[in-house]
Amino acid sequence: MTHLLLGAVLLGNLGVCVAAQDVLVPPTQVRFHSVDYKNILRWTPPTNSTSLQYYIQWKIYGEPQWLDVDGCQGIHKHQCDLSGVTSDPREWYYARVHASSLSSSKSAWALSPRFSPRWDTKISPPVLRLNLTEKGIVVRLKPPRLLVQKMRSSLLYKIYLIHTSGEEEVFEMEYDSNKVTLKDLNHKAKYCLQAQTMIPLQTRSSDRGSVKCVTTL
């Protein structure tokens, strides 16, 4: 009888160990990475995990119902584009993700911090293009496409003209303007320029873009 009881206890402990091994640890560091309203959810997979599938859901802050993200069910990669379902800049959103193994065990849900497209997206500087003419430097700016779709009427640009002395002149350019010509410059002089995207209504701006230099005619 003693041997039978001991065997039962050992089998029971073995069963607990097997069950514990089947429990998946949830993903960690679930967070949104958003640039110019392209909202990507990313996460860190469980340690030593292989062949896991991930399932992503989202909801609007204050709403009770979680919704599946189409195209992000049973995926193997560690990120999901939620731009389509988190497109309203006036709303706040949550997302969550859980892992599933081939043995059909599932992890708990891992929740993201609350996310606002309007306030949490990072603004990019515009693409700066320069042409030299006898009149001066012709500056053309091109913003990211998604940013234009969201903030078309609210964009403003700052152009920084940097002299060889280090002195800067600042010019403003509205989104609707196709180009601006910087005139009254010294001949055969080197000038460097940078551009910055501004959203005055939100008191937000991008970093300055990369420096481009030209020498006038």
Side-chain angles (χ1 to χ4, degrees), residues 105-149:
S105 60
K106 296 180 180 180
S107 75
W109 288 101
L111 184 66
S112 74
R114 191 171 62 169
F115 168 72
S116 165
R118 178 175 181 177
W119 299 112
D120 294 335
T121 199
K122 182 179 179 180
I123 306 301
S124 295
V127 176
L128 178 65
R129 292 175 179 159
L130 306 176
N131 287 317
L132 284 174
T133 68
E134 293 181 354
K135 295 181 179 180
I137 303 173
V138 179
V139 179
R140 290 182 172 85
L141 300 176
K142 182 179 179 182
R145 182 179 59 83
L146 285 174
L147 187 62
V148 171
Q149 291 175 355

Side-chain angles (χ1 to χ4, degrees), residues 144-204:
R145 182 179 59 83
L146 285 174
L147 187 62
V148 171
Q149 291 175 355
K150 294 294 180 185
M151 308 300 300
R152 179 185 297 272
S153 61
S154 305
L155 294 182
L156 184 71
Y157 304 111
K158 280 189 176 180
I159 301 168
Y160 298 86
L161 179 67
I162 307 168
H163 297 254
T164 53
S165 64
E167 179 186 355
E168 291 186 350
E169 292 184 68
V170 182
F171 302 85
E172 290 191 350
M173 177 176 169
E174 295 183 356
Y175 163 74
D176 291 335
S177 302
N178 294 324
K179 63 181 179 180
V180 62
T181 301
L182 306 183
K183 302 178 180 180
D184 301 324
L185 303 177
N186 295 329
H187 295 288
K188 304 295 182 179
K190 180 180 178 180
Y191 292 93
C192 295
L193 294 98
Q194 289 178 291
Q196 184 179 32
T197 305
M198 313 291 293
I199 306 179
L201 294 178
Q202 298 180 7
T203 321
R204 300 185 63 205

Side-chain angles (χ1 to χ4, degrees), residues 64-79:
Q65 185 177 5
W66 287 94
L67 302 171
D68 291 341
V69 180
D70 292 340
C72 294
Q73 303 300 304
I75 63 175
H76 293 282
K77 56 187 179 181
H78 305 146
Q79 66 179 37

